[in-house]
């Protein structure tokens, strides 16, 4: 935006978060810039962790894991996850 660099490589969500914060601060107008997202050069995965040392303290855990996995698969399939991301960054 300040024309000090031709290319910037970072995680897409980090870039989008930074642009959102700049927009909220009135320092970025997406309609006036020449920013373009380029090729994906890497990808990362997020994980949900569950304890396996609960000694039976969470008897609902197996059912909960199945339900969470089912919901995530459905949200991926119907595009809900991508829509949440787009709505959050909305610019």
């Amino acid at each position: 935006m300040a024309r000090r660099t031709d290319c910037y490589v970072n995680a897409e969500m980090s870039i989008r978060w930074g642009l959102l914060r700049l927009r909220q601060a009135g320092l970025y107008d997406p309609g006036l810039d020449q920013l373009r997202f380029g090729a994906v050069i890497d990808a990362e995965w997020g994980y949900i962790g569950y304890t396996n040392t609960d000694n039976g303290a969470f008897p609902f855990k197996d059912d909960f894991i199945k339900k969470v996995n089912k919901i995530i698969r459905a949200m991926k399939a119907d595009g809900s996850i991508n829509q949440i991301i787009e709505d959050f960054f909305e610019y």
Side-chain angles (χ1 to χ4, degrees):
M1 291 180 306
R3 306 212 183 278
R4 292 185 291 220
T5 186
D6 292 325
C7 180
Y8 176 70
V9 178
N10 198 346
E12 181 180 358
M13 293 295 175
S14 295
I15 293 170
R16 288 184 181 271
W17 176 254
L19 292 173
L20 177 66
R21 299 291 304 264
L22 288 170
R23 185 182 64 150
Q24 290 170 337
L27 301 172
Y28 170 64
D29 181 349
L32 301 176
D33 70 45
Q34 296 179 0
L35 295 177
R36 302 289 179 264
F37 283 88
V40 173
I41 59 173
D42 193 13
E44 295 181 26
W45 293 91
Y47 297 91
I48 300 173
Y50 303 99
T51 182
N52 64 357
T53 60
D54 61 348
N55 297 318
F58 308 111
F60 56 84
K61 182 176 67 176
D62 290 338
D63 184 54
F64 177 78
I65 292 170
K66 287 177 189 172
K67 288 178 179 175
V68 167
N69 288 342
K70 182 179 179 180
I71 290 168
I72 290 173
R73 279 193 297 275
M75 291 178 73
K76 282 183 177 180
D78 72 11
S80 296
I81 291 177
N82 286 337
Q83 189 62 54
I84 290 167
I85 293 167
E86 290 302 316
D87 290 348
F88 179 79
F89 289 114
E90 196 175 277
Y91 60 83

